[in-house]
Amino acid sequence: MAIVNMKKMHLLGLKNEQDKILSTIQKTGAVEVIDITQQAPEHEVQQNQVHQGLEKELSELDSRLSKLKFGIDFLKPYVRENNPLLYGRPAVQKEQLDEMLSREDQYFTVLQAVSGLDQRLSYLKGEESKINNRIELLSSWEQLDIPLEQLGHTEKTEFLPIVVPIKTYEDFRNRLKERQLPAEVMTIGGNRDETFGLLVYYRAQKGELQDIMKEFSVSVQEFSGLKGTPREIIARDKERLSGIEAERQGIRREAQALADQRFSFEVLYDYWSVVRDKKQNMLKTAETGKTFLLTAWVPEPLEDKLKRRILDTTDAVYIEFSPPEEDEEIPVMLENPRLVQPFELITELYSLPDPKGLDPNLYMAPFYFVFFGMMVSDAGYGLVLSLLTGLALWKLKLAGQGKKLVELLFLGGISTFIWGAIFGGWFGDLIKLKPLWINPLDNPMAILVLSFAFGVIQIYTGLLLSAYKNIRAGRTADAFMDQGLWIVFLSGLIMLAFPQLGFIAKYVAFAGALGLLLTQGRAQKSILMKFLSGLLSLYGVTGYLSDVLSYSRLLALGLATGVIAVVINTMARLVGVNAIGVIIMIIIMIGGHIFNIAINTLGAYVHSSRLQYIEFFSKFYDSGGRAFDPMKVKTTYVDFENL
């Protein structure tokens, strides 16, 4: 239940056994290889022929993986596969993998065929797009009954397809009449903005006509390479579109016939991904002619197990473990009890702890559990939330942060059920059961005081953890002056709220304030600055007051959940006056309560996290840690067994 101690492993082995040793390490998933080549002079790395060979291998692997990924994605629409979230990923035995590797050339031949299908589809898509654009263009000229190749000029006349802005079309025609030019415009078609026409004129007047066309923004439509009338061309194009669709269906049938190969592509993709990861880690090692040196981070609890696994692989290896240096960047790995692990998600979304700091999860988890339940505080909602998330945990193959989130909501549902029973909330007022303690709507002040009390407890916990950090670092005096005196001062102020403690409270508060006044400026050199710094430090009490007030959201969100639930029930009951009304009432209740559960679960998740991040972590938490990222067998589509 803490940050796991890390050891630094130095492994010296024979280069001809490097692949075997790294394969063993990769299967343990307990080693994060450190790139020690970065510590070597650049020219030495560049001259390392072995690394250059590895980089070439990695380039070839990337190319191979790219082809496999293409085949997997291309055939995806033609394969009906089980949802891995429901059924998990298929397991592949070593014998099955070896058989596929022995037939790898055949699979890559299939990949070439798949690539050919994709190229044919791409060509058809391009042709289809080109034809559709041409049909769209010619549809406005469909009434033109002159073959397009005959447009142009004769010895004395010119036939031009023109496009005229619709607002100037009539003016253009009138101008031709005013000038009494030997020209005629025939309207062919048009759209919302333009009119299409055929302009026929005497070539001797070309210069004057071009001036008029320029004046009225008349442009000439080009039909380069097209033969036949627009109607004939459109008919031919539509016939070709039908042919393209037929060809496309044929290609899809060919792809469907190859769909069975997709699983093989997935297995090979995962296998070569594992190999690539191993090769990439090889690049981080230093090598001589016959040996290699690997340096890595290893969790201390796994040290002996890892050493045994390596020595089982080979005897020709030297392994040494050492503690990290003071200034080294140590990766962070958390180890918490099973019940606390879901709450690690909250910390991970914020930032992992500094490797030399405290893991906050064990201390934060109880508060988060309580706060989440208070904010939703409906026993019916808690049951629904726990049942749904419990079902998801049972049926779905969850992993990683997704699993932690569902587990967190499951625990949140339990807390919600407990607080709902305490407050008497069962789908609002749908089920009328007497609260175990109090109904927040009847006495909200009691819940507000309870919320502030939880806030004070959590803030005190944060101060105590900060004091623990100082003591652990050998700064006991700092722990007394920076946290102990604040606890005394704040305790005195809190006691002032109780008249029966008033006499003692003022002395406790005064003692704490005096202590802070005298100690908080101790880093200053002059007496005046020591006094002023100490005096100003007392202003920090406003921060603590603000922190405590922030816990009023426990009451606010809890009330919101209950009030909305009651409103939903009231609205539903209003319509439940006859048979149809009862059906509508049921729909309103189901939909309304589902909405209320969703929106308030989200609110409880966000605001509970916010209380940890702002009010709690700010007292003691040092963030900025980097997650431990071990070399391991990471796959995307299948799980390898006995790899």
Side-chain angles (χ1 to χ4, degrees):
M1 52 183 183
I3 300 172
V4 177
N5 288 331
M6 288 286 170
K7 283 287 190 69
K8 204 168 183 180
M9 180 179 76
H10 305 277
L11 185 150
L12 184 63
L14 297 175
K15 202 161 66 177
N16 58 8
E17 293 184 337
Q18 186 180 20
D19 188 86
K20 182 171 64 173
I21 293 172
L22 262 74
S23 291
T24 300
I25 290 175
Q26 190 175 33
K27 290 171 191 172
T28 65
V31 171
E32 179 184 316
V33 180
I34 300 172
D35 188 357
I36 55 176
T37 62
Q38 299 299 319
Q39 301 166 9
E42 187 176 354
H43 68 277
E44 290 184 11
V45 176
Q46 290 175 346
Q47 291 174 1
N48 190 324
Q49 297 298 320
V50 177
H51 281 187
Q52 288 178 5
L54 275 175
E55 287 170 354
K56 185 180 178 183
E57 282 185 55
L58 283 170
S59 176
E60 292 171 355
L61 280 173
D62 286 336
S63 173
R64 183 177 305 191
L65 288 168
S66 176
K67 291 176 182 175
L68 289 166
K69 187 71 171 65
F70 165 77
I72 293 168
D73 292 340
F74 183 86
L75 294 177
K76 185 176 181 180
Y78 309 101
V79 178
R80 185 177 179 180
E81 56 185 355
N82 294 328
N83 188 333
L85 198 59
L86 291 173
Y87 301 98
R89 295 189 295 190
V92 176
Q93 302 292 331
K94 188 174 187 311
E95 297 74 17
Q96 193 177 1
L97 172 64
D98 290 341
E99 183 186 350
M100 288 184 181
L101 287 172
S102 67
R103 298 167 56 193
E104 190 173 10
D105 290 344
Q106 297 176 24
Y107 295 125
F108 274 88
T109 302
V110 176
L111 274 175
Q112 288 181 348
V114 171
S115 177
L117 295 179
D118 181 65
Q119 290 175 7
R120 286 164 60 191
L121 283 175
S122 297
Y123 177 79
L124 291 177
K125 184 177 180 181
E127 185 182 1
E128 184 182 50
S129 176
K130 184 178 177 183
I131 290 174
N132 281 326
N133 289 337
R134 188 161 61 214
I135 290 175
E136 184 180 358
L137 169 68
L138 294 178
S139 60
S140 299
W141 297 89
E142 203 168 356
Q143 300 303 318
L144 181 64
D145 55 359
I146 301 174
L148 298 181
E149 69 273 19
Q150 293 181 11
L151 296 177
H153 61 82
T154 60
E155 183 180 353
K156 294 184 177 180
T157 60
E158 184 127 13
F159 297 80
L160 287 181
I162 58 173
V163 180
V164 188
I166 198 166
K167 60 184 180 182
T168 63
Y169 182 65
E170 289 302 325
D171 295 338
F172 171 64
R173 298 186 67 175
N174 291 335
R175 181 62 58 88
L176 294 178
K177 290 179 182 175
E178 288 171 7
R179 298 287 183 88
Q180 296 183 346
L181 292 173
E184 182 65 32
V185 178
M186 290 172 282
T187 304
I188 304 299
N191 56 31
R192 191 175 58 182
D193 302 318
E194 297 170 321
T195 299
F196 307 101
L198 181 66
L199 173 63
V200 185
Y201 64 92
Y202 188 52
R203 294 187 66 188
Q205 306 296 324
K206 184 173 183 179
E208 190 173 356
L209 260 171
Q210 285 183 338
D211 291 340
I212 296 174
M213 290 170 66
K214 187 176 180 181
E215 179 184 353
F216 291 95
S217 303
V218 177
S219 59
V220 178
Q221 179 65 58
E222 294 292 337
F223 293 114
S224 303
L226 298 180
K227 293 182 179 179
T229 66
R231 185 168 296 173
E232 291 170 346
I233 296 172
I234 289 173
R236 288 200 302 268
D237 282 346
K238 288 183 176 177
E239 186 178 353
R240 177 55 189 150
L241 285 177
S242 300
I244 287 174
E245 184 56 30
E247 287 183 44
R248 187 179 284 134
Q249 291 297 333
I251 294 172
R252 287 172 180 159
R253 283 193 291 275
E254 291 181 52
Q256 185 71 52
L258 298 175
D260 291 344
Q261 305 295 322
R262 186 171 184 262
F263 178 69
S264 304
F265 297 163
E266 291 175 341
V267 174
L268 291 174
Y269 180 86
D270 277 347
Y271 172 75
W272 289 116
S273 294
V274 172
V275 173
R276 180 186 58 183
D277 291 345
K278 182 173 63 179
K279 299 284 184 186
Q280 285 175 336
N281 279 281
M282 283 183 182
L283 280 176
K284 299 176 182 176
T285 63
E287 298 176 346
T288 63
K290 295 184 178 179
T291 63
F292 74 96
L293 174 64
L294 179 146
T295 304
W297 293 112
V298 178
E300 191 176 78
L302 302 177
E303 177 183 328
D304 293 336
K305 179 183 175 183
L306 174 67
K307 192 172 181 178
R308 283 197 304 273
R309 290 287 298 274
I310 296 173
L311 292 177
D312 287 343
T313 304
T314 177
D315 294 330
V317 64
Y318 172 76
I319 306 173
E320 178 184 281
F321 293 92
S322 63
E325 301 291 335
E326 186 66 26
D327 56 347
E328 283 185 309
E329 183 190 357
I330 308 168
V332 175
M333 177 178 169
L334 303 179
E335 184 179 26
N336 284 297
R338 187 68 187 88
L339 270 178
V340 177
Q341 288 176 12
F343 298 93
E344 290 176 355
L345 174 69
I346 306 302
T347 304
E348 289 168 359
L349 292 178
Y350 181 78
S351 175
L352 284 174
D354 183 275
K356 297 174 184 175
L358 283 177
D359 176 8
N361 293 298
L362 183 65
Y363 315 103
M364 177 263 290
F367 291 108
Y368 195 97
F369 178 78
V370 171
F371 296 166
F372 189 100
M374 278 189 75
M375 288 181 183
V376 187
S377 65
D378 186 289
Y381 289 1
L383 276 177
V384 171
L385 188 58
S386 287
L387 286 173
L388 290 178
T389 51
L391 185 65
L393 289 170
W394 179 36
K395 287 293 184 183
L396 303 182
K397 310 296 181 185
L398 297 169
Q401 290 192 334
K403 184 179 181 181
K404 286 183 179 179
L405 176 61
V406 177
E407 290 176 339
L408 183 72
L409 294 177
F410 176 76
L411 294 173
I414 294 174
S415 176
T416 300
F417 174 78
I418 295 171
W419 281 105
I422 292 173
F423 292 154
W426 294 83
F427 297 103
D429 59 349
L430 186 63
I431 303 173
K432 297 187 183 300
L433 290 178
K434 188 178 179 180
L436 297 179
W437 176 42
I438 191 173
N439 185 338
L441 294 174
D442 297 336
N443 190 354
M445 282 305 297
I447 309 304
L448 183 62
V449 172
L450 179 66
S451 302
F452 288 157
F454 278 132
V456 170
I457 293 171
Q458 190 173 35
I459 289 170
Y460 272 38
T461 304
L463 288 172
L464 289 172
L465 288 172
S466 184
Y468 167 71
K469 277 174 48 188
N470 277 331
I471 294 171
R472 192 177 67 171
R475 300 190 296 267
T476 306
D478 289 347
F480 171 74
M481 291 184 283
D482 294 337
Q483 286 87 40
L485 289 175
W486 268 112
I487 290 175
V488 173
F489 181 43
L490 294 174
S491 299
L493 295 179
I494 293 170
M495 291 164 65
L496 287 173
F498 301 93
Q500 61 272 31
L501 299 175
F503 179 74
I504 301 176
K506 60 185 178 183
Y507 290 109
V508 174
F510 177 75
L514 182 62
L516 292 170
L517 180 67
L518 296 176
T519 60
Q520 295 305 293
R522 62 186 185 279
Q524 302 296 333
K525 292 183 178 178
S526 70
I527 294 178
L528 178 61
M529 290 304 295
K530 286 177 186 293
F531 173 76
L532 290 176
S533 295
L535 185 63
L536 289 173
S537 71
L538 296 177
Y539 186 71
V541 73
T542 59
Y544 288 104
L545 177 63
S546 171
D547 288 345
V548 173
L549 291 176
S550 186
Y551 288 82
S552 61
R553 70 189 66 228
L554 297 176
L555 165 68
L557 270 77
L559 283 178
T561 307
V563 170
I564 294 173
V566 170
V567 169
I568 291 168
N569 293 336
T570 304
M571 290 172 57
R573 286 171 182 141
L574 288 175
V575 299
V577 294
N578 51 38
I580 297 177
V582 169
I583 295 173
I584 298 174
M585 180 185 73
I586 293 172
I587 293 172
I588 291 175
M589 280 193 172
I590 293 175
H593 285 299
I594 288 175
F595 170 78
N596 203 22
I597 291 173
I599 197 72
N600 283 290
T601 298
L602 177 62
Y605 172 79
V606 171
H607 285 279
S608 296
S609 301
R610 191 263 185 206
L611 286 175
Q612 313 311 316
Y613 296 157
I614 307 298
E615 276 72 32
F616 188 46
F617 284 0
S618 62
K619 304 297 177 296
F620 71 98
Y621 185 54
D622 296 321
S623 61
R626 178 180 64 80
F628 178 60
D629 184 21
M631 177 176 65
K632 58 185 178 182
V633 178
K634 285 186 283 192
T635 57
T636 305
Y637 302 103
V638 300
D639 290 329
F640 291 121
E641 295 186 356
N642 305 319
L643 182 65

